[in-house]
Amino acid sequence: MQVEVSRDVFRLAQVFTISRGSRTEAKVLTVRLSDGAHQGWGECVPYARYDETLESVEAEIAALPAEFTRQSLMELLPAGAARNAVDCALWDLECKRAGKRAWDVAGLPLPEPEITAYTLSLATPEAMQKQAAENAHRPLLKIKLGTPDDMPRLEAVRAGAPKSKIIVDANEGWSAEVYANLAPHLVRLGVELVEQPLPAGEDDALIGMERPVPVCADESCHDRTSLPKLKGKYDVVNIKLDKTGGLTEALLLREAALAEGYKVMVGCMVGSSLAMAPATLLAQGAMVTDLDGPLLLAEDRTNPLIFDDAGVHPPSVDLWG
């Protein structure tokens, strides 16, 4: 197995801000695997929140043995960005070898387009209202929040996009008190989901609290080992390939989460169409699909995913899988 890792940078269409900081570009790692006859590829986004850097993820991949499979990879690398890129590249390689699409290899039905959320960056209420108005034609908007004074932002977005469905992502930025105070207003403003209101290490405070709007675990849920810690706190789990360490674990997490009564959201880091492509398989039938990474970019891969009024479409064979 030949393994090639490269760094790619994609400019963002505009500054993207969450409660932890801002960025103007997406820095990703692209992994290409070759068996001499066929090549597969995958993408990951090393995430500082999980102590990942481009260098650390490259080092993890470089330490892999000469031969490995999707199954052995689960033991060779922990859940995270490095395993994600390699796992998705292995899926693509397997599809190329077999002359089949990824959903056929996975034993899944043909994927259909799924409506995806479009994310509004954290900003002043005035700026967020402007963002909302410019995207009011979209059926589902996701608002980045996570400060003690988010109420004016919520009001502003609803005023800017009165007909869109809204989900909120606090990115661990609220305290239990702030969340409790905001919760009734989330209902009033028609918010349909709130992601990770409290820091992952402090989310026991959610036990016993009223959840008038479904609460989704993001930073608190990485793979199947996270599920026992979510009981009594969350109603939904956000499955991201860079957290699960690839499509293999993500499919298993989805199955386990649904079996335990959770609903599923399928999310993403800010990456290219290559990063989103495997997640379109996960998104089928999800409560919420949030695969808007390419929509936030000023540039994308060749043969990118198609986004239209029907939603995000599964990838072409020229892109992945």
Side-chain angles (χ1 to χ4, degrees):
M1 184 88 70
Q2 295 178 330
V3 182
E4 177 187 334
V5 182
S6 61
R7 300 185 186 189
D8 291 301
V9 179
F10 296 92
R11 292 181 297 108
L12 302 188
Q14 59 188 21
V15 177
F16 185 74
T17 301
I18 66 172
S19 60
R20 284 191 287 270
S22 301
R23 68 180 76 175
T24 58
E25 56 190 16
K27 296 180 179 180
V28 309
L29 287 179
T30 305
V31 172
R32 291 175 174 83
L33 302 179
S34 175
D35 62 4
H38 302 92
Q39 179 176 280
W41 67 339
E43 177 185 315
C44 69
V45 182
Y47 205 50
R49 168 65 180 82
Y50 306 129
D51 299 320
E52 293 175 335
T53 64
L54 293 168
E55 293 77 14
S56 70
V57 172
E58 283 179 318
E60 284 186 272
I61 297 170
L64 286 170
E67 297 296 330
F68 50 86
T69 64
R70 283 197 289 114
Q71 288 67 41
S72 66
L73 186 67
M74 302 276 278
E75 303 298 325
L76 292 168
L77 289 176
R83 195 175 80 193
N84 174 35
V86 178
D87 179 75
C88 291
L90 283 168
W91 274 93
D92 192 35
L93 180 62
E94 186 173 343
C95 292
K96 299 296 191 296
R97 285 170 170 167
K100 295 181 178 180
R101 297 310 311 271
W103 43 90
D104 295 321
V105 173
L108 299 172
L110 175 70
E112 299 291 336
E114 290 283 340
I115 294 295
T116 181
Y118 180 82
T119 304
L120 305 183
S121 185
L122 179 66
T124 64
E126 295 76 18
M128 293 188 77
Q129 182 167 344
K130 182 173 183 291
Q131 287 184 67
E134 290 170 349
N135 292 282
H137 63 285
R138 300 184 188 275
L140 179 60
L141 297 178
K142 174 172 169 175
I143 317 172
K144 288 291 188 179
L145 297 177
T147 76
D149 52 352
D150 279 334
M151 195 64 233
R153 294 184 173 92
L154 272 169
E155 299 275 11
V157 169
R158 177 47 81 200
K163 295 183 179 179
S164 299
K165 293 181 179 180
I166 291 176
I167 57 177
V168 164
D169 185 2
N171 279 121
E172 305 181 280
W174 291 340
S175 65
E177 181 181 7
V178 168
Y179 167 65
N181 289 336
L182 279 176
H185 298 288
L186 298 175
V187 176
R188 175 175 63 83
L189 293 169
V191 173
E192 302 204 350
L193 179 78
V194 57
E195 275 186 79
Q196 200 67 43
L198 309 185
E202 301 171 19
D203 62 358
D204 281 354
L206 290 170
I207 297 174
M209 290 183 70
E210 289 190 25
R211 299 197 296 274
V213 170
V215 178
C216 179
D218 183 358
E219 286 85 351
S220 289
C221 182
H222 289 245
D223 58 12
R224 284 171 293 166
T225 65
S226 303
L227 290 176
K229 308 167 195 171
L230 307 182
K231 293 186 183 300
K233 308 176 192 177
Y234 298 98
D235 311 289
V236 186
V237 296
N238 189 347
I239 303 176
K240 293 179 179 175
L241 297 175
D242 276 311
K243 292 188 304 176
T244 63
L247 181 61
T248 302
E249 172 63 24
L251 289 169
L252 294 169
L253 172 58
R254 183 181 69 169
E255 181 181 6
L258 290 172
E260 292 193 20
Y262 295 100
K263 293 185 177 179
V264 165
M265 174 178 182
V266 175
C268 65
M269 307 304 186
V270 182
S272 80
S273 283
L274 177 59
M276 308 301 124
T280 61
L281 277 67
L282 288 171
Q284 301 301 298
M287 176 186 179
V288 175
T289 296
D290 178 25
L291 297 178
D292 64 343
L295 298 178
L296 306 176
L297 302 179
E299 52 195 0
D300 198 358
R301 303 277 183 182
T302 305
N303 304 306
L305 290 175
I306 294 173
F307 292 83
D308 59 20
D309 290 345
V312 55
H313 291 248
S316 68
V317 70
D318 295 319
L319 176 64
W320 180 89

